Amino acid sequence: ADVSRNIMPAERRPLAPKVARGEFHLLSIGINAYQHCPLLQTAVRGATEIARVLMDRYGFVREQVTLLLEEQATRPELIRTLRDLARKLRSDDSLMIFFAGHGHLDEFGLGHWLPVEASLSEPADWLSNADIKNVLRVTKARHVLLVSDSCFAGDFFRDAGPGAPGITDAYVEMAFQKMSRQVLASGGLEPVL
């Protein structure tokens, strides 16, 4: 699909911020072939297409793009990669994380990503949304965008504050200078198709 049709016309597009910009990093995770959970059909394609579009159209460079697909997306590797990114990113860098795979809400109402080896009967296999948020809080990156295409991804919003004011050029420039942590989820606290 051609996403360029959905972009605002140039005369209405907010100005690019006039602040120092660091590197733009992407961690894109896609799991179709779960070992102990139902298989998915579009997660890997979503993760690879996000990476392709960001590199082809938005200036992300291959050296700052990490893809964890299928058997690479184990719990230890997800934790290691998230912590490595949190450790190495600088205060002028930006990070986008895309996750396409199964999510799970446990008996306590807490959300989790399910790595490739996870089973619904073993909580030690899961990666909690709280653990993900904690790693994202300590990174020095100025901007972090988390896109979670999974069931129960709305759990990331439980401590969210009010929405943004009207978007103007001045607001975009001011906001780009501040640290931000944003989440885009495919659903709330329910299963998604």
Side-chain angles (χ1 to χ4, degrees), residues 17-60:
K18 295 179 180 91
V19 295
R21 295 187 214 184
E23 297 173 339
F24 289 82
H25 294 260
L26 170 67
L27 169 58
S28 193
I29 305 156
I31 309 166
N32 287 339
Y34 276 88
Q35 296 170 9
H36 307 289
C37 293
L39 303 180
L40 297 175
Q41 295 179 3
T42 60
V44 170
R45 187 175 73 222
T48 56
E49 280 298 299
I50 287 286
R52 185 191 63 75
V53 168
L54 291 175
M55 288 187 291
D56 288 353
R57 296 186 181 204
Y58 295 98
F60 281 64

Side-chain angles (χ1 to χ4, degrees), residues 103-112 120 123 126 128 152 155 158:
H104 180 66
L105 199 65
D106 68 17
E107 72 269 23
F108 303 112
L110 303 173
H112 304 267
L120 291 175
W126 310 339
S128 77
F152 308 107
D155 179 56
R158 290 198 188 188

Side-chain angles (χ1 to χ4, degrees), residues 20 51 70 75-77 79 97 105 121 151 155 158 168-169 192:
E70 302 291 22
R75 186 176 192 282
E77 188 59 29
I79 292 170
I97 298 171
L105 199 65
S121 63
C151 295
D155 179 56
R158 290 198 188 188
T168 64
D169 292 345
V192 295

Side-chain angles (χ1 to χ4, degrees), residues 74-148:
T74 64
R75 186 176 192 282
E77 188 59 29
L78 291 172
I79 292 170
R80 182 180 307 108
T81 302
L82 286 167
R83 292 180 68 91
D84 286 349
L85 282 167
R87 194 176 297 113
K88 82 175 187 178
L89 296 180
R90 300 177 318 234
S91 62
D92 59 347
D93 289 338
S94 296
L95 170 64
M96 178 177 171
I97 298 171
F98 178 83
F99 175 79
H102 282 302
H104 180 66
L105 199 65
D106 68 17
E107 72 269 23
F108 303 112
L110 303 173
H112 304 267
W113 284 352
L114 298 184
V116 69
E117 78 278 20
S119 72
L120 291 175
S121 63
E122 185 49 64
D125 294 344
W126 310 339
L127 182 57
S128 77
N129 293 352
D131 287 340
I132 296 163
K133 286 192 291 188
N134 285 338
V135 171
L136 298 182
R137 279 189 188 110
V138 299
T139 181
K140 293 177 185 162
R142 178 171 293 164
H143 304 290
V144 176
L145 172 63
L146 171 64
V147 179
S148 187

